[in-house]
Amino acid sequence: MTTGDHGFLQGLARPAAVFLALALLTAAPLSARGENLLDEAKARGELVLGTELQYAPFEFTENDKPKGYSVDLMDLVAADLGVKVRYVDLPFASVLPGLEARKFDMVEATSTITKARMERYYFTLPIADATVALVKRKGDTSIQKAQDIAGKVVGGTKGSAQTKLLQDFVQTLPGGVKEIKEYIGSPNAYADLEAGRIVAVAGSLPNLAYLVKTRPETFELVLPPFGPKAYLAWLARKDDASKALIEAINASLVKLTKSGKIKELQLKWFGVATDLPIDAVPTPLY
């Protein structure tokens, strides 16, 4: 994976920012020599992060500044590591290619931990729950449970694990669905949902709960969630240069969990706090 509506509305009109971010992808790599990225970031004074600032409440823009749960948490981690952060804002489908091309140190865009991704990337410890659910228009009585999307047009964010789970889920429905539309950025999916072009959007439960919390007159959750238990985290390239960086971030996340800071951020952004694994990155179910 909308703020109160600030990030939602601003996310729909950011062509200049997207153009600049895409231009950055054609620039020279930060490093191609394989140094320890943690030491390199400290020497440089900043950690360069790839993200998509259209994924409230995790990362979005308000008054042209990054905001959100993940942004707040990364600020605490960066302070612990002794570095500042700089964001490269891209459509989510371009974030992982940008990481592969070494255009930034790691990915701050909160990403679902999946089996396929764990084969290619180092994940940090989980920073939030990622169980997939659906959101619908307020008052749409035709969708009472996830199975009611059968035969209808639904949506999801292009390249997201939640959209992949939606694709798998609809195959279990008699006749499937009429169409799954894939959007660049969840705000575009929510706009089509509000306009009645689709009947539901798939996303992680915290994102959808925040959307409903901030726009209760427009949207409504479809419960229970239809996906298996999953978690969101940050990720980096699976190489020796990234290993020390991920280990340092994990050590910081453990400290922030034990101090109660992560719980404070969860309550601030989600309204509820959930326990997260801190001993190891959990083995994903899909």
Side-chain angles (χ1 to χ4, degrees), residues 36 151 196 272:
N36 180 319
V272 294

Side-chain angles (χ1 to χ4, degrees), residues 162-174:
Q162 285 74 30
T163 298
K164 176 60 171 65
L165 285 174
L166 175 64
Q167 292 166 343
D168 293 342
F169 174 69
V170 301
Q171 293 180 20
T172 69
L173 304 177

Side-chain angles (χ1 to χ4, degrees), residues 60 75 84 87 100 123 136-137 157 167 177 186 206 208:
F60 57 96
D75 283 345
K84 296 181 179 180
Y87 291 98
E100 299 276 5
F123 274 94
K136 66 176 182 176
R137 286 187 307 282
T157 303
Q167 292 166 343
V177 295
S186 54
L208 301 184

Side-chain angles (χ1 to χ4, degrees), residues 189-247:
Y190 301 149
D192 265 12
L193 176 59
E194 182 178 7
R197 298 184 186 97
I198 55 179
V199 300
V201 174
S204 68
L205 188 56
N207 294 82
L208 301 184
Y210 182 78
L211 173 68
V212 171
K213 176 184 176 183
T214 54
R215 303 189 67 190
E217 75 289 347
T218 306
F219 299 112
E220 188 175 346
L221 280 173
V222 180
L223 296 174
F226 67 85
K229 188 68 174 178
Y231 293 99
L232 292 165
W234 302 318
L235 62 88
R237 291 178 295 274
K238 203 166 192 177
D239 55 29
D240 291 340
S242 303
K243 188 175 182 180
L245 175 61
I246 292 296
E247 289 176 346

